[in-house]
Amino acid sequence: MHKYHLVHNPPRVSWLPAPSCAYASLSTAALRPPVAHAHRLHATASYQIEGAWNEGGRGLSIWDTFSKKLGGDTGEIACDHYYRYRDDVKLMASLGLKNYRLSVSWSRLQPDGRGALNPEGVAFYNDLINCLVEHGVEPMVTLYHWDLPAALHEDGERDGWLNEDIVQAYTDYARVCFELFGDRVKSWLTFNEPWCSCVLGYGTGEHAPGLKCEDGSKVYRAAHNTLLAHAHAVDLYRRHFQPQQGGAIGITLNSGWSEPLGDADPHVARSHAAAAHRSLMWSLGWFADPIWRGGDYPREMRERCGDKLPEFTEAEKKLISGSSDFLGLNHYASEFIQHNEAGDFVSGWGTVTKGGFFGDMAATSVSHPSWSRTDMGWNVVPWGFTELLLWCHRRYQPSGGIYVTENGCAVPEPTKELAVEDHFRVAYFTSYVAAMHEAIEKGADVRGYYAWSFLDNFEWQLGFSKRFGMVHVDYATQQRTPKASAKWFASLVAANELHIEVGARFTDAATTHVIADATLAQQLAA
């Protein structure tokens, strides 16, 4: 038997290719949340699972009003977690899960987004957090996962994240959360995926509040106020709460990996490489550069966006710079990128957009024909995960490391029986966890990993048609049934190592670093 060791301590990776012992072993010992020990972790969001939309004193959120406007599924009941959280926490504990990322519904705490607190909302989150702690599950709390109180987004006087007054409202809300829960919550996220809430909410209209903007100016304004709100909340926490509470606070950003499309013409190849870089800037760098690279937007955005991109004052640059104790990263897919001045863009939800925000980026994506896809149509490309983690490490070098705050896949599950088998999701997680460890071996400072998602849930404008959960939810009865992936995850936590059989699914072009040569580039671009 020939045995290879890739040196990193911890974790340790051993590839065992011999037929008599065909598996790979990956230790998870180095992965840890900001204030806890090493564990694999699960995540959810309030509007996607809580339900009880008009109960317990909760005010309306923009997702309540937007979902009703769409006329399809809503989160009015969702997973009924508001009433079933005790059983859900017991299920987590029975699976050996030690960490759980959840989000707070702002309108459940402050029905109007400002002023008086809702006692029933306070009691719910206190009870939920206490239940987690009692069962040995460490909570990570996201303050904002897209569900802005509807009262802060009204025609005329208030227009959500487009109004600079939102910064103070959000900071006051953050203070409330720190005061109420900071004695038990030691890991905080200010925002989840601001790219989505800004681009899809204020650009393409696919997410709440459903606004569209042809030139992209509203998108940039919403993001600008989001960054300022983030920075003020972090400053507040660091000055008034962190010294006593001893927690950590950061932001979680989303990005795929953008691989340049190859071409035999060096000039064209260079233009595709520049487009791939811009794709990363318009997704990740847009928010990460101000925090980790001096308080301002990427140079490429300044050059191409002109006056549409707001300016930070010198005081704001100082406030934003360094305003995250760690880099939270959500990742689901990768693509080849080519230059396209028109910026034709097809979103992950199927909407076609031309110009505006995407015209500024001047890049479009194509897929490799060998890549598997999830039920969202997203490419399964584990090596892209490795590349993204290494790129983030090299560009930002966050002192508190990188935390993968979401990674997972939607799988078509027409029946409960097929859902429970869950072979695709097990293969997905196996290959992506292995890809993450490859990045660690190559020097990426990755310290934690949260799988999305613990439960099947309301998938935003796609309603209940997509299932990301490791636990199946029968929406008619609310019965929970762990899938094979949940049991796989539990064994991973218990053993603290991952075995990969040689020849396992996705050990093909999806896991090989495919380079698009000139011939393929022509085919993909056709």
Side-chain angles (χ1 to χ4, degrees):
M1 181 178 69
H2 194 68
K3 190 172 184 178
Y4 299 93
H5 293 282
L6 301 179
V7 179
H8 186 89
N9 186 31
R12 298 174 300 280
V13 178
S14 304
W15 295 104
L16 306 176
S20 60
C21 193
Y23 65 89
S25 177
L26 300 172
S27 167
T28 65
L31 299 182
R32 56 195 183 280
V35 188
H37 296 291
H39 294 290
R40 301 291 180 189
L41 322 158
H42 281 67
T44 62
S46 56
Y47 190 72
Q48 293 181 273
I49 68 166
E50 281 183 6
W53 69 286
N54 62 349
E55 300 176 57
R58 178 183 178 274
L60 293 178
S61 80
I62 57 174
W63 269 98
D64 292 305
T65 55
F66 183 68
S67 297
K68 288 184 178 180
K69 182 179 178 181
L70 292 178
D73 295 332
T74 73
E76 292 184 358
I77 298 175
C79 300
D80 201 32
H81 180 72
Y82 182 80
Y83 291 106
R84 299 171 185 268
Y85 72 88
R86 290 183 181 86
D87 289 336
D88 288 339
V89 172
K90 290 178 182 177
L91 179 57
M92 294 177 204
S94 72
L95 293 170
L97 306 180
K98 303 298 183 182
N99 301 83
Y100 174 54
R101 178 186 163 212
L102 65 143
S103 77
V104 171
S105 168
W106 187 347
S107 63
R108 195 177 293 284
L109 279 188
Q110 290 180 301
D112 294 326
R114 298 174 184 265
L117 294 177
N118 169 31
E120 292 178 86
V122 172
F124 168 70
Y125 287 113
N126 268 323
D127 290 346
L128 171 57
I129 291 168
N130 287 340
C131 187
L132 289 165
V133 173
E134 289 167 6
H135 285 83
V137 181
E138 179 82 13
M140 171 184 266
V141 171
T142 305
L143 294 173
Y144 186 81
H145 200 131
W146 306 350
D147 50 350
L148 183 72
L152 295 179
H153 184 89
E154 301 171 351
D155 293 337
E157 183 180 353
R158 296 176 183 171
D159 46 9
W161 292 104
L162 299 179
N163 192 322
E164 62 184 13
D165 291 345
I166 195 71
V167 175
Q168 187 60 55
Y170 174 84
T171 306
D172 292 341
Y173 157 67
R175 178 189 292 274
V176 166
C177 291
F178 300 149
E179 290 174 343
L180 290 172
F181 314 125
D183 59 328
R184 288 149 293 161
V185 175
K186 303 306 178 184
S187 301
W188 296 95
L189 291 167
T190 54
F191 288 88
N192 175 78
E193 297 186 355
W195 187 98
C196 289
S197 53
C198 295
V199 176
L200 305 179
Y202 293 87
T204 68
E206 294 169 279
H207 276 194
L211 300 184
K212 297 181 179 181
C213 180
E214 291 185 358
D215 70 353
S217 58
K218 290 182 180 179
V219 174
Y220 298 124
R221 173 57 60 184
H224 193 75
N225 289 330
T226 297
L227 272 168
L228 289 173
H230 156 80
H232 278 282
V234 171
D235 179 63
L236 172 70
Y237 183 74
R238 286 175 172 173
R239 287 189 293 109
H240 296 288
F241 297 96
Q242 196 172 47
Q244 293 77 32
Q245 295 178 354
I249 188 167
I251 190 170
T252 194
L253 308 175
N254 62 295
S255 182
W257 173 244
S258 299
E259 183 76 7
L261 190 65
D263 197 279
D265 185 330
H267 175 74
V268 174
R270 285 194 296 270
S271 72
H272 290 341
H277 177 73
R278 287 196 303 274
S279 178
L280 289 169
M281 290 300 97
W282 262 252
S283 57
L284 193 58
W286 184 15
F287 300 95
D289 271 34
I291 296 173
W292 282 281
R293 289 173 68 90
D296 203 358
Y297 296 115
R299 172 183 55 80
E300 297 84 354
M301 296 189 77
R302 284 277 175 222
E303 292 174 350
R304 296 185 64 90
C305 296
D307 294 340
K308 290 187 295 184
L309 196 63
E311 296 279 352
F312 293 114
T313 66
E314 290 304 314
E316 288 169 343
K317 289 180 181 179
K318 184 177 180 180
L319 187 70
I320 293 171
S321 184
S323 60
S324 192
D325 294 336
F326 54 91
L327 169 59
L329 181 67
N330 293 356
H331 174 78
Y332 289 94
S334 300
E335 297 170 314
F336 283 114
I337 302 295
Q338 61 184 338
H339 176 81
N340 183 314
E341 198 63 38
D344 297 345
F345 175 79
V346 181
S347 77
W349 295 265
T351 299
V352 179
T353 305
K354 296 180 182 292
F357 175 84
F358 299 103
D360 294 337
M361 183 174 68
T364 55
S365 61
V366 291
S367 298
H368 194 281
S370 71
W371 290 344
S372 299
R373 290 186 176 87
T374 71
D375 198 31
M376 295 290 287
W378 298 345
N379 300 318
V380 179
V381 190
W383 61 259
F385 191 27
T386 304
E387 293 296 327
L388 180 63
L389 290 169
L390 290 169
W391 185 88
C392 288
H393 176 80
R394 290 191 297 264
R395 184 172 181 87
Y396 300 116
Q397 298 183 354
S399 59
I402 300 167
Y403 292 85
V404 179
T405 40
E406 287 183 26
N407 177 239
C409 62
V411 179
E413 297 170 347
T415 67
K416 176 181 173 182
E417 290 70 27
L418 287 175
V420 169
E421 289 181 4
D422 209 18
H423 300 306
F424 187 100
R425 189 173 285 107
V426 169
Y428 179 99
F429 279 124
T430 300
S431 49
Y432 271 78
V433 169
M436 177 180 64
H437 274 275
E438 182 179 351
I440 294 171
E441 290 295 320
K442 292 180 178 179
D445 185 10
V446 183
R447 304 189 186 186
Y449 176 94
Y450 288 77
W452 187 272
S453 175
F454 175 56
L455 300 172
D456 288 332
N457 53 54
F458 177 80
E459 185 49 37
W460 308 110
Q461 82 279 33
L462 297 177
F464 298 106
S465 65
K466 306 297 179 183
R467 291 180 178 267
F468 278 85
M470 287 189 175
V471 174
H472 178 269
V473 177
D474 183 324
Y475 295 117
T477 66
Q478 293 297 336
Q479 181 183 13
R480 273 70 158 148
T481 306
K483 303 176 187 178
S485 57
K487 298 173 182 178
W488 172 88
F489 220 76
S491 66
L492 177 64
V493 172
N496 204 35
E497 70 177 11
L498 169 65
H499 291 181
I500 306 175
E501 295 181 3
V502 170
R505 191 169 180 176
F506 300 144
T507 55
D508 52 14
T511 51
T512 303
H513 196 145
V514 176
I515 303 297
D517 60 22
T519 301
L520 179 59
Q522 292 174 2
Q523 295 172 354
L524 293 176

